[in-house]
Amino acid sequence: MALLAILKAGGAYVPLDPDYPTDRLAYMLADARVTTLLTQSSLLERLPAAKTSHFCLDSDWSRLEAYADDNLELEIQAENLAYMIYTSGSTGRPKGVQISHANLLNLVYWHRRTYNVQPEDRATQLAGIAFDACVWEIWPYLTAGASLYLPDASTRLDPEQLRDWLVNEHITLSFMPTPMAEGVLTLAWPETTALRALLTGGDKLHYYPSDKLPFRLINHYGPTEFTVVTSAGDVPVGAQEERAPSIGKPIANTQIYVLDKHLQLVPQGVPGELFVGGASLARGYLQRADLTAELFVTHPFSTEPGARLYRTGDLVRYLPDGSLEFLGRIDAQVKIRGYRIEPGEIEAILLQHQAIRDCSVILHEDKVGNRRLVAYLVAQENASLDREDIRAYLQEQVPDYMVPAVMVILEALPLTRMAKLIGAHYRSQSCSTW
């Protein structure tokens, strides 16, 4: 309701997760220049002290009695800002990605057409409010007159409970972040269910669906800077391929290019960086003209004035059927549970700790695909490091998913800054023993 009200009033919304550290929320509020904070009275104590006025959706309705309830007559333009979502930034501060109404509408129209969304559909909203997939879960369905269903926290975390809830609520379409989807794919399902398609994305999908599943599985790919979804593709049933499922083909009004370091097209099967452009391309980063210019580049294959491409930093290659295979990153950015993380942001915050002289944060992935962050720390001279103290320090400044699961204290870091030598040495070990 609050999101609908903001857009109808001609405003743009900035979703904030109340579980984020107070300092991070305060930075986002100040950076976005938020004028009004919509919240609940139970969350006020967890929010930063700020000059921003607030309205509690569960207790402040009497404040509206003095205002007219006439329907608003506003002309909202396609280029107006619809929302802004913050993502991890390598400088130690998150960056705000600005999405217009035109960007959002391209996603909405594509989704409604592709999945034949009808008013009778029953869809889910599982992603956190600050995760950009939430945008995708909400707007295609509300604009079609369909219903949204929200499970409780315990159901979200248990694959069997989640499966049973989907069946009992007669859910017809559902998105799940990749790790969550992989959890329910391995379960036994009833032969018939209302669910006709399970949509997933946010991380690399490792599994192909069994031929016993009574619904389609569709894999999706897309950065926040391209309004959630850039490509999509059905995952074939029962495939026994050595490679992981593809990330599909571009959605409507989208151009994708696989380029080398000279921004030249590469042949089919040759790895290159993925560049994307089209109707879903974001404005850029709020108050970060330098970073916007670096990542939103002039379109080298277009004659349209002002045309741009976003360089994703993702390494891909074309498959024979024209779909894309995701190979990894060309930089240090990682994903955990669908969240984009810049290890450099965590490192920048760690280096502000008075007892830390040097550090490196890397992703550790075990043989079965479980991922966790590992921080390698070097103490200042004559200082000692306490892991729990460092963990508490980080929890005050970054979301829980950005706090390394393991802290390794070293006398010095290897010469390879990205800790490749460390990673090679420890990769075969269990994180629980560190």
Side-chain angles (χ1 to χ4, degrees):
M1 181 175 60
L3 300 183
L4 284 165
I6 291 169
L7 293 188
K8 184 164 185 175
Y13 69 89
V14 182
L16 301 174
D17 189 329
D19 290 330
Y20 282 2
T22 301
D23 287 349
R24 194 175 185 86
L25 291 173
Y27 172 80
M28 292 176 178
L29 288 169
D31 185 63
R33 299 174 185 172
V34 171
T35 56
T36 303
L37 179 62
L38 302 183
T39 185
Q40 296 177 351
S41 53
S42 61
L43 299 176
L44 289 177
E45 292 184 355
R46 298 159 64 181
L47 296 172
K51 298 179 181 179
T52 304
S53 65
H54 65 265
F55 182 92
C56 291
L57 297 167
D58 57 343
S59 61
D60 283 345
W61 289 105
S62 61
R63 291 169 52 186
L64 302 180
E65 293 176 355
Y67 294 89
D69 59 2
D70 300 335
N71 194 30
L72 297 174
E73 295 184 4
L74 297 174
E75 290 188 7
I76 299 172
Q77 304 299 317
E79 63 270 17
N80 291 157
L81 194 67
Y83 69 87
M84 183 170 68
I85 283 186
Y86 279 87
T87 66
S88 181
S90 58
T91 63
R93 291 293 191 182
K95 52 187 184 291
V97 181
Q98 304 173 92
I99 302 295
S100 71
H101 281 267
N103 299 151
L104 179 55
L105 283 173
N106 191 61
L107 173 70
V108 167
Y109 288 144
W110 166 80
H111 182 95
R112 286 174 51 177
R113 183 171 56 252
T114 300
Y115 298 113
N116 192 28
V117 180
Q118 301 296 322
E120 298 78 22
D121 274 311
R122 301 159 72 94
T124 60
Q125 202 270 288
L126 302 174
I129 188 68
F131 184 25
D132 69 343
C134 186
V135 171
W136 181 26
E137 290 180 300
I138 293 174
W139 297 117
Y141 300 107
L142 293 189
T143 56
S147 303
L148 278 179
Y149 289 77
L150 288 73
D152 58 34
S154 63
T155 300
R156 280 191 183 94
L157 297 175
D158 186 287
E160 292 188 359
Q161 284 189 47
L162 185 57
R163 174 204 57 194
D164 295 343
W165 178 82
L166 292 168
V167 172
N168 294 335
E169 294 292 342
H170 305 288
I171 300 300
T172 56
L173 290 163
S174 179
F175 164 79
M176 293 184 192
T178 308
M180 191 182 296
E182 291 182 335
V184 302
L185 285 174
T186 60
L187 301 176
W189 285 74
E191 290 186 6
T192 58
T193 175
L195 186 66
R196 65 176 185 267
L198 176 61
L199 318 181
T200 190
D203 212 332
K204 186 172 183 178
L205 182 65
H206 297 90
Y207 306 120
Y208 290 87
S210 162
D211 57 6
K212 296 181 180 179
L213 290 178
F215 50 80
R216 295 165 58 200
L217 175 67
I218 302 98
N219 195 23
H220 300 77
Y221 160 88
T224 302
E225 291 84 350
F226 203 78
T227 320
V228 192
V229 180
T230 301
S231 64
D234 275 86
V235 183
V237 171
Q240 300 293 326
E241 300 186 37
E242 292 183 1
R243 64 171 179 267
S246 81
I247 56 174
K249 299 178 182 179
I251 70 168
N253 303 309
T254 297
Q255 302 88 49
I256 60 176
Y257 300 89
V258 183
L259 307 179
D260 63 19
K261 63 181 180 181
H262 303 295
L263 301 188
Q264 297 298 309
L265 295 167
V266 301
Q268 175 190 302
V270 176
E273 183 178 0
L274 179 60
F275 287 68
V276 298
S280 294
L281 186 63
R283 285 187 188 178
Y285 303 111
L286 179 69
Q287 302 184 79
R288 293 295 307 274
D290 56 339
L291 190 59
T292 299
E294 178 185 342
L295 297 180
F296 291 80
V297 300
T298 300
H299 197 319
F301 310 108
S302 175
T303 58
E304 180 183 345
R308 301 174 303 155
L309 294 177
Y310 172 67
R311 56 184 320 156
T312 66
D314 289 326
L315 192 68
V316 301
R317 65 180 175 185
Y318 273 113
L319 297 174
D321 65 355
S323 63
L324 289 170
E325 180 184 6
F326 177 82
L327 301 174
R329 291 288 299 176
I330 64 171
D331 58 18
Q333 188 185 99
V334 300
K335 273 194 173 184
I336 293 182
R337 302 195 303 276
Y339 290 100
R340 240 167 68 178
I341 299 172
E342 295 277 3
E345 179 178 358
I346 306 170
E347 292 171 353
I349 293 171
L350 284 169
L351 289 174
Q352 295 172 26
H353 192 285
Q354 60 182 6
I356 296 176
R357 176 167 60 87
D358 204 356
C359 67
S360 182
V361 177
I362 67 169
L363 179 71
H364 177 279
E365 183 170 359
D366 63 22
K367 294 179 180 179
V368 295
N370 295 319
R371 294 179 171 187
R372 58 182 79 186
L373 290 173
V374 180
Y376 297 91
L377 310 172
V378 178
Q380 295 280 10
E381 189 175 354
N382 299 322
S384 60
L385 294 178
D386 179 271
R387 291 178 176 83
E388 292 308 312
D389 172 66
I390 301 300
R391 183 168 283 107
Y393 165 76
L394 282 174
Q395 288 172 333
E396 292 178 354
Q397 302 191 60
V398 299
D400 284 344
Y401 64 83
M402 292 180 65
V403 177
V406 178
M407 310 277 183
V408 181
I409 299 173
L410 303 172
E411 293 184 2
L413 291 182
L415 294 178
T416 47
R417 180 65 185 173
M418 295 312 297
K420 291 180 180 178
L421 294 182
I422 298 177
H425 178 72
Y426 287 106
R427 196 160 285 124
S428 61
Q429 300 189 35
S430 168
C431 285
S432 63
T433 65
W434 298 359

